[in-house]
Amino acid sequence: MDQDEILLDAEERMDKAVHVLQGQLQGIRTGRATPGLVDSIRVDYYGSPTPLKQMANVSVPEPQQILIRPFDAQMVGEISKAIQASNIGLAPNSDGRVVRLNIPPLSTERRRQLVSRVKELAEEARVSIRNIRRDANKHADQAEKDKLMGEDERDNTKSDVQDLTKKYEGKVNSIAGAKEKDVMDD
């Protein structure tokens, strides 16, 4: 691998780590209702686990309520079962046509638990980014051993990889900080 390939690969993988974190944080609830709370739920649709958003219209008619309107009205029961099994801490109410999820206000203790979960996810993302840095540095060392680049080029590559690492760790920190603030605010 040459310098450009190493840097491009590292940047793509770091970007992917940040996107994974954003997806994970979307499922952590704040005091407000958002369709993202139920995005990760899979429903048994005639024997195959199907994402909820592919089989129902998910909307937020009020700040404290999520309304799930299935395309197939017979699936209301299955959707309710999937929500209860998902462990998101919400009790589904159904009237046979739609499923309503009322979002209770978060207690201070629960908010602290959610903030600690945000911090865990952010640390996992940072560790992932550091592992990518380690892999890129190994590639640079190997390229120098294989005489594909010189010592100065290897050192420049490692420096550029370190800059990328700082950039993406900064993104992780700002995303996590914003989510922590969101969770702690009413």
Side-chain angles (χ1 to χ4, degrees):
M1 295 180 96
D2 69 357
Q3 183 178 10
D4 292 337
E5 289 173 338
I6 292 169
L7 292 173
L8 187 63
D9 180 57
E11 187 167 16
E12 284 176 0
R13 291 173 57 201
M14 288 178 185
D15 196 46
K16 200 174 288 185
V18 169
H19 284 296
V20 167
L21 174 67
Q22 287 172 323
Q24 290 171 325
L25 292 181
Q26 192 175 16
I28 292 181
R29 67 180 251 236
T30 59
R32 293 179 300 281
T34 62
L37 293 176
V38 295
D39 274 355
S40 62
I41 296 176
R42 295 192 171 274
V43 180
D44 184 33
Y45 189 63
Y46 299 112
S48 108
T50 307
L52 178 61
K53 62 184 176 183
Q54 288 183 6
M55 56 187 301
N57 184 11
V58 180
S59 61
V60 181
E62 300 171 26
Q64 300 296 313
Q65 186 180 77
I66 297 174
L67 182 69
I68 302 167
R69 190 179 311 271
F71 302 133
D72 180 355
Q74 298 172 347
M75 297 309 297
V76 169
E78 289 293 327
I79 290 172
S80 293
K81 282 185 209 170
I83 291 169
Q84 287 173 330
S86 71
N87 237 356
I88 59 172
L90 300 174
N93 301 326
S94 87
D95 63 4
R97 294 177 301 143
V98 296
V99 177
R100 294 181 200 289
L101 296 174
N102 292 314
I103 312 293
L106 295 173
S107 67
T108 304
E109 181 182 336
R110 181 68 180 137
R111 288 178 192 273
R112 287 191 186 118
Q113 290 172 343
L114 292 173
V115 165
S116 73
R117 180 69 181 138
V118 168
K119 288 180 179 177
E120 287 172 21
L121 293 172
E123 184 56 31
E124 287 174 15
R126 283 191 289 269
V127 167
S128 175
I129 288 169
R130 291 179 196 132
N131 288 341
I132 294 165
R133 174 186 61 193
R134 183 197 62 219
D135 292 346
N137 286 341
K138 279 184 185 175
H139 286 302
D141 289 337
Q142 189 59 44
E144 191 221 352
K145 282 182 187 171
D146 295 342
K147 306 285 188 219
L148 297 174
M149 66 172 69
E151 217 174 287
D152 289 343
E153 198 175 4
R154 180 204 63 199
D155 292 343
N156 288 340
T157 302
K158 285 185 172 186
S159 173
D160 291 345
V161 168
Q162 181 59 34
D163 291 344
L164 279 176
T165 303
K166 285 181 183 172
K167 172 184 165 187
Y168 281 97
E169 282 186 341
K171 283 185 179 184
V172 166
N173 293 339
S174 67
I175 290 168
K179 187 64 174 188
E180 286 174 27
K181 185 179 182 314
D182 200 22
V183 168
M184 291 309 285
D185 289 345
D186 286 328

Short mmCIF file of all heavy atoms in Angstrom, two decimals, residues 76-133:
data_model
loop_
_atom_site.label_atom_id
_atom_site.label_comp_id
_atom_site.label_asym_id
_atom_site.label_seq_id
_atom_site.Cartn_x
_atom_site.Cartn_y
_atom_site.Cartn_z
N VAL A 76 -50.48 -5.47 13.98
CA VAL A 76 -50.47 -4.64 15.20
C VAL A 76 -50.00 -5.45 16.40
O VAL A 76 -49.16 -5.00 17.19
CB VAL A 76 -51.87 -4.02 15.46
CG1 VAL A 76 -51.93 -3.39 16.84
CG2 VAL A 76 -52.17 -2.98 14.40
N GLY A 77 -50.50 -6.68 16.56
CA GLY A 77 -50.11 -7.53 17.68
C GLY A 77 -48.63 -7.88 17.65
O GLY A 77 -47.95 -7.85 18.68
N GLU A 78 -48.13 -8.22 16.47
CA GLU A 78 -46.71 -8.57 16.32
C GLU A 78 -45.81 -7.37 16.63
O GLU A 78 -44.76 -7.50 17.24
CB GLU A 78 -46.41 -9.09 14.91
CG GLU A 78 -46.97 -10.46 14.61
CD GLU A 78 -46.32 -11.56 15.43
OE1 GLU A 78 -45.12 -11.46 15.74
OE2 GLU A 78 -47.02 -12.52 15.76
N ILE A 79 -46.25 -6.18 16.19
CA ILE A 79 -45.48 -4.96 16.46
C ILE A 79 -45.43 -4.71 17.96
O ILE A 79 -44.37 -4.41 18.52
CB ILE A 79 -46.07 -3.76 15.70
CG1 ILE A 79 -45.81 -3.92 14.20
CG2 ILE A 79 -45.49 -2.45 16.20
CD1 ILE A 79 -46.50 -2.90 13.32
N SER A 80 -46.57 -4.86 18.64
CA SER A 80 -46.60 -4.67 20.10
C SER A 80 -45.66 -5.64 20.81
O SER A 80 -44.93 -5.26 21.72
CB SER A 80 -48.02 -4.85 20.63
OG SER A 80 -48.86 -3.82 20.16
N LYS A 81 -45.68 -6.92 20.37
CA LYS A 81 -44.79 -7.93 20.97
C LYS A 81 -43.33 -7.56 20.76
O LYS A 81 -42.51 -7.68 21.67
CB LYS A 81 -45.04 -9.31 20.33
CG LYS A 81 -46.25 -10.03 20.84
CD LYS A 81 -46.29 -11.41 20.21
CE LYS A 81 -47.72 -11.89 20.07
NZ LYS A 81 -47.81 -13.10 19.26
N ALA A 82 -43.00 -7.10 19.55
CA ALA A 82 -41.61 -6.75 19.23
C ALA A 82 -41.14 -5.56 20.08
O ALA A 82 -40.00 -5.53 20.53
CB ALA A 82 -41.47 -6.44 17.75
N ILE A 83 -42.02 -4.59 20.31
CA ILE A 83 -41.66 -3.42 21.11
C ILE A 83 -41.41 -3.84 22.55
O ILE A 83 -40.44 -3.42 23.19
CB ILE A 83 -42.74 -2.33 21.02
CG1 ILE A 83 -42.74 -1.73 19.61
CG2 ILE A 83 -42.51 -1.24 22.07
CD1 ILE A 83 -43.92 -0.84 19.31
N GLN A 84 -42.27 -4.72 23.08
CA GLN A 84 -42.09 -5.19 24.46
C GLN A 84 -40.80 -6.00 24.58
O GLN A 84 -40.06 -5.87 25.56
CB GLN A 84 -43.28 -6.04 24.90
CG GLN A 84 -44.51 -5.20 25.16
CD GLN A 84 -45.75 -6.03 25.43
OE1 GLN A 84 -45.89 -7.13 24.91
NE2 GLN A 84 -46.66 -5.49 26.23
N ALA A 85 -40.49 -6.81 23.58
CA ALA A 85 -39.28 -7.65 23.61
C ALA A 85 -38.01 -6.84 23.39
O ALA A 85 -36.92 -7.29 23.74
CB ALA A 85 -39.39 -8.74 22.56
N SER A 86 -38.13 -5.65 22.81
CA SER A 86 -36.94 -4.86 22.45
C SER A 86 -36.24 -4.22 23.64
O SER A 86 -35.13 -3.75 23.52
CB SER A 86 -37.32 -3.76 21.46
OG SER A 86 -38.08 -2.77 22.12
N ASN A 87 -36.92 -4.16 24.78
CA ASN A 87 -36.29 -3.62 25.99
C ASN A 87 -35.95 -2.12 25.88
O ASN A 87 -34.95 -1.68 26.43
CB ASN A 87 -35.02 -4.40 26.31
CG ASN A 87 -35.06 -4.98 27.70
OD1 ASN A 87 -36.00 -4.73 28.43
ND2 ASN A 87 -34.06 -5.74 28.04
N ILE A 88 -36.77 -1.36 25.16
CA ILE A 88 -36.51 0.09 25.10
C ILE A 88 -37.20 0.82 26.25
O ILE A 88 -37.08 2.03 26.38
CB ILE A 88 -36.93 0.72 23.74
CG1 ILE A 88 -38.42 0.50 23.46
CG2 ILE A 88 -36.07 0.22 22.61
CD1 ILE A 88 -38.95 1.25 22.24
N GLY A 89 -37.94 0.07 27.07
CA GLY A 89 -38.54 0.65 28.25
C GLY A 89 -39.84 1.39 28.00
O GLY A 89 -40.23 2.25 28.78
N LEU A 90 -40.52 1.06 26.90
CA LEU A 90 -41.79 1.71 26.59
C LEU A 90 -42.89 0.65 26.45
O LEU A 90 -42.66 -0.41 25.89
CB LEU A 90 -41.69 2.49 25.27
CG LEU A 90 -40.65 3.61 25.24
CD1 LEU A 90 -40.55 4.20 23.85
CD2 LEU A 90 -41.01 4.70 26.25
N ALA A 91 -44.07 0.97 26.96
CA ALA A 91 -45.20 0.04 26.88
C ALA A 91 -46.10 0.44 25.72
O ALA A 91 -46.62 1.56 25.69
CB ALA A 91 -45.98 0.06 28.19
N PRO A 92 -46.32 -0.47 24.76
CA PRO A 92 -47.17 -0.14 23.61
C PRO A 92 -48.66 -0.20 23.98
O PRO A 92 -49.09 -1.06 24.73
CB PRO A 92 -46.82 -1.21 22.58
CG PRO A 92 -46.31 -2.36 23.39
CD PRO A 92 -45.69 -1.78 24.62
N ASN A 93 -49.43 0.75 23.47
CA ASN A 93 -50.89 0.75 23.60
C ASN A 93 -51.46 0.61 22.19
O ASN A 93 -51.10 1.41 21.32
CB ASN A 93 -51.40 2.07 24.20
CG ASN A 93 -50.81 2.36 25.55
OD1 ASN A 93 -50.56 1.45 26.32
ND2 ASN A 93 -50.57 3.63 25.83
N SER A 94 -52.32 -0.38 21.98
CA SER A 94 -52.86 -0.52 20.63
C SER A 94 -54.37 -0.57 20.68
O SER A 94 -54.97 -1.06 21.64
CB SER A 94 -52.30 -1.76 19.94
OG SER A 94 -53.06 -2.89 20.24
N ASP A 95 -54.99 -0.03 19.62
CA ASP A 95 -56.45 -0.06 19.52
C ASP A 95 -56.89 -0.97 18.37
O ASP A 95 -58.02 -0.90 17.91
CB ASP A 95 -56.99 1.36 19.33
CG ASP A 95 -56.53 2.01 18.03
OD1 ASP A 95 -55.85 1.34 17.23
OD2 ASP A 95 -56.85 3.20 17.82
N GLY A 96 -55.99 -1.81 17.88
CA GLY A 96 -56.31 -2.72 16.79
C GLY A 96 -55.91 -2.19 15.42
O GLY A 96 -55.80 -2.95 14.46
N ARG A 97 -55.70 -0.88 15.30
CA ARG A 97 -55.30 -0.30 14.01
C ARG A 97 -53.93 0.37 14.10
O ARG A 97 -53.17 0.35 13.14
CB ARG A 97 -56.32 0.73 13.54
CG ARG A 97 -57.67 0.13 13.19
CD ARG A 97 -58.67 1.18 12.79
NE ARG A 97 -58.83 2.12 13.91
CZ ARG A 97 -59.01 3.42 13.77
NH1 ARG A 97 -59.06 3.96 12.59
NH2 ARG A 97 -59.13 4.20 14.82
N VAL A 98 -53.64 1.00 15.24
CA VAL A 98 -52.37 1.69 15.42
C VAL A 98 -51.78 1.32 16.78
O VAL A 98 -52.49 0.85 17.66
CB VAL A 98 -52.51 3.24 15.33
CG1 VAL A 98 -52.97 3.67 13.97
CG2 VAL A 98 -53.43 3.75 16.41
N VAL A 99 -50.47 1.56 16.92
CA VAL A 99 -49.79 1.35 18.20
C VAL A 99 -49.27 2.71 18.66
O VAL A 99 -48.63 3.42 17.89
CB VAL A 99 -48.62 0.35 18.05
CG1 VAL A 99 -47.87 0.20 19.36
CG2 VAL A 99 -49.11 -0.99 17.55
N ARG A 100 -49.57 3.06 19.90
CA ARG A 100 -49.10 4.32 20.47
C ARG A 100 -48.06 4.01 21.55
O ARG A 100 -48.25 3.10 22.35
CB ARG A 100 -50.24 5.10 21.11
CG ARG A 100 -51.28 5.58 20.15
CD ARG A 100 -52.36 6.37 20.89
NE ARG A 100 -53.59 6.48 20.14
CZ ARG A 100 -53.76 7.20 19.05
NH1 ARG A 100 -52.77 7.89 18.58
NH2 ARG A 100 -54.92 7.24 18.43
N LEU A 101 -46.99 4.79 21.54
CA LEU A 101 -45.98 4.69 22.58
C LEU A 101 -45.92 6.04 23.29
O LEU A 101 -45.58 7.05 22.67
CB LEU A 101 -44.60 4.37 21.98
CG LEU A 101 -44.44 3.05 21.26
CD1 LEU A 101 -43.08 2.98 20.60
CD2 LEU A 101 -44.62 1.91 22.23
N ASN A 102 -46.29 6.05 24.56
CA ASN A 102 -46.21 7.28 25.34
C ASN A 102 -44.84 7.33 26.00
O ASN A 102 -44.41 6.38 26.64
CB ASN A 102 -47.32 7.33 26.38
CG ASN A 102 -48.67 7.49 25.72
OD1 ASN A 102 -48.84 8.31 24.83
ND2 ASN A 102 -49.64 6.70 26.15
N ILE A 103 -44.16 8.45 25.82
CA ILE A 103 -42.81 8.61 26.34
C ILE A 103 -42.92 9.31 27.69
O ILE A 103 -43.24 10.50 27.76
CB ILE A 103 -41.94 9.47 25.40
CG1 ILE A 103 -42.06 9.01 23.96
CG2 ILE A 103 -40.51 9.52 25.88
CD1 ILE A 103 -41.49 7.67 23.67
N PRO A 104 -42.65 8.59 28.79
CA PRO A 104 -42.71 9.25 30.09
C PRO A 104 -41.50 10.15 30.29
O PRO A 104 -40.45 9.93 29.69
CB PRO A 104 -42.67 8.07 31.08
CG PRO A 104 -41.98 6.98 30.34
CD PRO A 104 -42.29 7.18 28.89
N PRO A 105 -41.64 11.16 31.14
CA PRO A 105 -40.47 12.00 31.42
C PRO A 105 -39.39 11.17 32.12
O PRO A 105 -39.70 10.26 32.87
CB PRO A 105 -41.01 13.10 32.33
CG PRO A 105 -42.40 12.71 32.70
CD PRO A 105 -42.84 11.59 31.84
N LEU A 106 -38.14 11.49 31.83
CA LEU A 106 -37.03 10.74 32.41
C LEU A 106 -36.71 11.24 33.82
O LEU A 106 -36.69 12.44 34.06
CB LEU A 106 -35.79 10.89 31.54
CG LEU A 106 -35.85 10.30 30.14
CD1 LEU A 106 -34.61 10.70 29.35
CD2 LEU A 106 -35.97 8.80 30.20
N SER A 107 -36.44 10.29 34.71
CA SER A 107 -35.99 10.68 36.05
C SER A 107 -34.52 11.08 35.97
O SER A 107 -33.81 10.73 35.02
CB SER A 107 -36.15 9.50 37.02
OG SER A 107 -35.26 8.47 36.66
N THR A 108 -34.05 11.79 36.97
CA THR A 108 -32.65 12.23 36.99
C THR A 108 -31.72 11.02 36.99
O THR A 108 -30.69 11.02 36.30
CB THR A 108 -32.39 13.11 38.23
OG1 THR A 108 -33.32 14.19 38.21
CG2 THR A 108 -30.99 13.67 38.23
N GLU A 109 -32.09 9.99 37.74
CA GLU A 109 -31.25 8.79 37.79
C GLU A 109 -31.17 8.12 36.42
O GLU A 109 -30.10 7.72 35.98
CB GLU A 109 -31.83 7.80 38.82
CG GLU A 109 -31.00 6.54 38.96
CD GLU A 109 -31.61 5.56 39.95
OE1 GLU A 109 -32.37 5.97 40.84
OE2 GLU A 109 -31.33 4.36 39.81
N ARG A 110 -32.30 8.04 35.73
CA ARG A 110 -32.32 7.42 34.40
C ARG A 110 -31.50 8.26 33.41
O ARG A 110 -30.80 7.72 32.56
CB ARG A 110 -33.77 7.28 33.91
CG ARG A 110 -33.90 6.62 32.56
CD ARG A 110 -33.49 5.16 32.59
NE ARG A 110 -33.63 4.59 31.24
CZ ARG A 110 -32.75 3.78 30.70
NH1 ARG A 110 -31.70 3.38 31.37
NH2 ARG A 110 -32.93 3.33 29.48
N ARG A 111 -31.58 9.56 33.54
CA ARG A 111 -30.79 10.43 32.67
C ARG A 111 -29.29 10.17 32.87
O ARG A 111 -28.54 10.11 31.92
CB ARG A 111 -31.09 11.91 32.95
CG ARG A 111 -32.44 12.36 32.47
CD ARG A 111 -32.67 13.83 32.83
NE ARG A 111 -34.05 14.21 32.63
CZ ARG A 111 -34.55 14.65 31.48
NH1 ARG A 111 -33.79 14.76 30.44
NH2 ARG A 111 -35.82 14.97 31.40
N ARG A 112 -28.89 10.00 34.13
CA ARG A 112 -27.48 9.71 34.42
C ARG A 112 -27.06 8.38 33.80
O ARG A 112 -25.94 8.25 33.30
CB ARG A 112 -27.23 9.73 35.92
CG ARG A 112 -27.25 11.12 36.49
CD ARG A 112 -26.74 11.16 37.92
NE ARG A 112 -26.92 12.49 38.47
CZ ARG A 112 -27.68 12.79 39.49
NH1 ARG A 112 -28.34 11.85 40.13
NH2 ARG A 112 -27.78 14.03 39.92
N GLN A 113 -27.95 7.38 33.88
CA GLN A 113 -27.64 6.08 33.28
C GLN A 113 -27.47 6.22 31.76
O GLN A 113 -26.55 5.64 31.18
CB GLN A 113 -28.77 5.07 33.55
CG GLN A 113 -28.87 4.62 34.98
CD GLN A 113 -30.11 3.78 35.23
OE1 GLN A 113 -31.06 3.78 34.44
NE2 GLN A 113 -30.11 3.05 36.33
N LEU A 114 -28.35 7.01 31.14
CA LEU A 114 -28.25 7.21 29.69
C LEU A 114 -26.97 7.94 29.32
O LEU A 114 -26.33 7.62 28.31
CB LEU A 114 -29.48 7.96 29.17
CG LEU A 114 -30.80 7.18 29.22
CD1 LEU A 114 -31.96 8.08 28.85
CD2 LEU A 114 -30.76 5.96 28.31
N VAL A 115 -26.58 8.94 30.12
CA VAL A 115 -25.34 9.67 29.85
C VAL A 115 -24.15 8.73 29.98
O VAL A 115 -23.22 8.78 29.16
CB VAL A 115 -25.20 10.88 30.80
CG1 VAL A 115 -23.79 11.42 30.80
CG2 VAL A 115 -26.17 11.97 30.38
N SER A 116 -24.17 7.83 30.96
CA SER A 116 -23.04 6.90 31.09
C SER A 116 -23.01 5.94 29.91
O SER A 116 -21.93 5.57 29.43
CB SER A 116 -23.09 6.13 32.42
OG SER A 116 -24.10 5.17 32.42
N ARG A 117 -24.17 5.57 29.38
CA ARG A 117 -24.22 4.72 28.18
C ARG A 117 -23.66 5.47 26.97
O ARG A 117 -22.93 4.91 26.16
CB ARG A 117 -25.66 4.26 27.91
CG ARG A 117 -25.81 3.40 26.70
CD ARG A 117 -25.18 2.03 26.89
NE ARG A 117 -25.33 1.25 25.67
CZ ARG A 117 -24.40 0.49 25.15
NH1 ARG A 117 -23.24 0.35 25.76
NH2 ARG A 117 -24.60 -0.16 24.04
N VAL A 118 -23.99 6.75 26.86
CA VAL A 118 -23.44 7.58 25.78
C VAL A 118 -21.92 7.61 25.86
O VAL A 118 -21.21 7.46 24.86
CB VAL A 118 -24.02 9.02 25.82
CG1 VAL A 118 -23.25 9.95 24.91
CG2 VAL A 118 -25.49 9.02 25.46
N LYS A 119 -21.40 7.76 27.09
CA LYS A 119 -19.95 7.80 27.29
C LYS A 119 -19.30 6.47 26.91
O LYS A 119 -18.22 6.44 26.31
CB LYS A 119 -19.61 8.16 28.73
CG LYS A 119 -19.90 9.62 29.04
CD LYS A 119 -19.58 9.98 30.47
CE LYS A 119 -19.87 11.45 30.71
NZ LYS A 119 -19.65 11.86 32.08
N GLU A 120 -19.98 5.35 27.24
CA GLU A 120 -19.45 4.02 26.87
C GLU A 120 -19.38 3.88 25.35
O GLU A 120 -18.36 3.42 24.81
CB GLU A 120 -20.37 2.91 27.40
CG GLU A 120 -20.30 2.67 28.88
CD GLU A 120 -21.38 1.69 29.34
OE1 GLU A 120 -21.89 0.91 28.51
OE2 GLU A 120 -21.71 1.70 30.53
N LEU A 121 -20.45 4.28 24.68
CA LEU A 121 -20.48 4.16 23.21
C LEU A 121 -19.41 5.06 22.58
O LEU A 121 -18.76 4.66 21.60
CB LEU A 121 -21.87 4.52 22.68
CG LEU A 121 -22.99 3.54 23.04
CD1 LEU A 121 -24.34 4.10 22.63
CD2 LEU A 121 -22.76 2.18 22.39
N ALA A 122 -19.23 6.25 23.12
CA ALA A 122 -18.21 7.16 22.59
C ALA A 122 -16.82 6.57 22.79
O ALA A 122 -15.97 6.66 21.89
CB ALA A 122 -18.32 8.53 23.27
N GLU A 123 -16.58 5.95 23.94
CA GLU A 123 -15.27 5.35 24.19
C GLU A 123 -15.03 4.18 23.24
O GLU A 123 -13.91 4.01 22.74
CB GLU A 123 -15.15 4.91 25.66
CG GLU A 123 -13.79 4.37 26.02
CD GLU A 123 -12.63 5.32 25.74
OE1 GLU A 123 -12.81 6.56 25.80
OE2 GLU A 123 -11.52 4.84 25.44
N GLU A 124 -16.08 3.39 22.98
CA GLU A 124 -15.93 2.29 22.01
C GLU A 124 -15.55 2.84 20.64
O GLU A 124 -14.69 2.28 19.95
CB GLU A 124 -17.24 1.50 21.90
CG GLU A 124 -17.54 0.62 23.08
CD GLU A 124 -18.92 -0.03 23.00
OE1 GLU A 124 -19.53 -0.03 21.91
OE2 GLU A 124 -19.40 -0.51 24.04
N ALA A 125 -16.15 3.95 20.24
CA ALA A 125 -15.83 4.56 18.95
C ALA A 125 -14.39 5.07 18.94
O ALA A 125 -13.67 4.89 17.95
CB ALA A 125 -16.80 5.70 18.64
N ARG A 126 -13.96 5.68 20.05
CA ARG A 126 -12.57 6.17 20.12
C ARG A 126 -11.58 5.02 20.05
O ARG A 126 -10.54 5.11 19.38
CB ARG A 126 -12.36 7.00 21.39
CG ARG A 126 -12.94 8.40 21.31
CD ARG A 126 -12.49 9.26 22.47
NE ARG A 126 -13.11 8.87 23.71
CZ ARG A 126 -14.25 9.35 24.18
NH1 ARG A 126 -14.90 10.27 23.51
NH2 ARG A 126 -14.75 8.93 25.33
N VAL A 127 -11.89 3.92 20.74
CA VAL A 127 -11.01 2.74 20.70
C VAL A 127 -10.94 2.21 19.27
O VAL A 127 -9.86 1.85 18.78
CB VAL A 127 -11.50 1.66 21.69
CG1 VAL A 127 -10.83 0.33 21.43
CG2 VAL A 127 -11.26 2.11 23.11
N SER A 128 -12.08 2.17 18.61
CA SER A 128 -12.11 1.71 17.22
C SER A 128 -11.23 2.59 16.33
O SER A 128 -10.46 2.09 15.50
CB SER A 128 -13.56 1.73 16.72
OG SER A 128 -13.63 1.41 15.37
N ILE A 129 -11.31 3.90 16.52
CA ILE A 129 -10.49 4.84 15.74
C ILE A 129 -9.01 4.62 16.03
O ILE A 129 -8.18 4.61 15.11
CB ILE A 129 -10.93 6.29 16.03
CG1 ILE A 129 -12.30 6.55 15.38
CG2 ILE A 129 -9.89 7.29 15.54
CD1 ILE A 129 -12.96 7.83 15.80
N ARG A 130 -8.68 4.37 17.29
CA ARG A 130 -7.27 4.13 17.63
C ARG A 130 -6.76 2.82 17.03
O ARG A 130 -5.59 2.72 16.63
CB ARG A 130 -7.09 4.13 19.15
CG ARG A 130 -7.28 5.51 19.74
CD ARG A 130 -7.13 5.50 21.24
NE ARG A 130 -7.68 6.72 21.79
CZ ARG A 130 -8.53 6.77 22.81
NH1 ARG A 130 -8.92 5.66 23.42
NH2 ARG A 130 -8.98 7.92 23.24
N ASN A 131 -7.63 1.82 16.97
CA ASN A 131 -7.24 0.55 16.33
C ASN A 131 -6.99 0.76 14.84
O ASN A 131 -6.08 0.15 14.27
CB ASN A 131 -8.32 -0.51 16.55
CG ASN A 131 -8.36 -1.02 17.98
OD1 ASN A 131 -7.38 -0.86 18.73
ND2 ASN A 131 -9.47 -1.60 18.37
N ILE A 132 -7.78 1.60 14.23
CA ILE A 132 -7.58 1.91 12.81
C ILE A 132 -6.25 2.62 12.63
O ILE A 132 -5.49 2.32 11.69
CB ILE A 132 -8.76 2.76 12.27
CG1 ILE A 132 -10.05 1.93 12.30
CG2 ILE A 132 -8.47 3.27 10.87
CD1 ILE A 132 -11.32 2.75 12.15
N ARG A 133 -5.92 3.53 13.55
CA ARG A 133 -4.62 4.22 13.51
C ARG A 133 -3.48 3.20 13.60
O ARG A 133 -2.51 3.26 12.85
CB ARG A 133 -4.52 5.23 14.65
CG ARG A 133 -3.13 5.88 14.75
CD ARG A 133 -2.96 6.77 15.94
NE ARG A 133 -3.14 6.01 17.17
CZ ARG A 133 -3.29 6.57 18.36
NH1 ARG A 133 -3.33 7.87 18.50
NH2 ARG A 133 -3.45 5.81 19.43
#
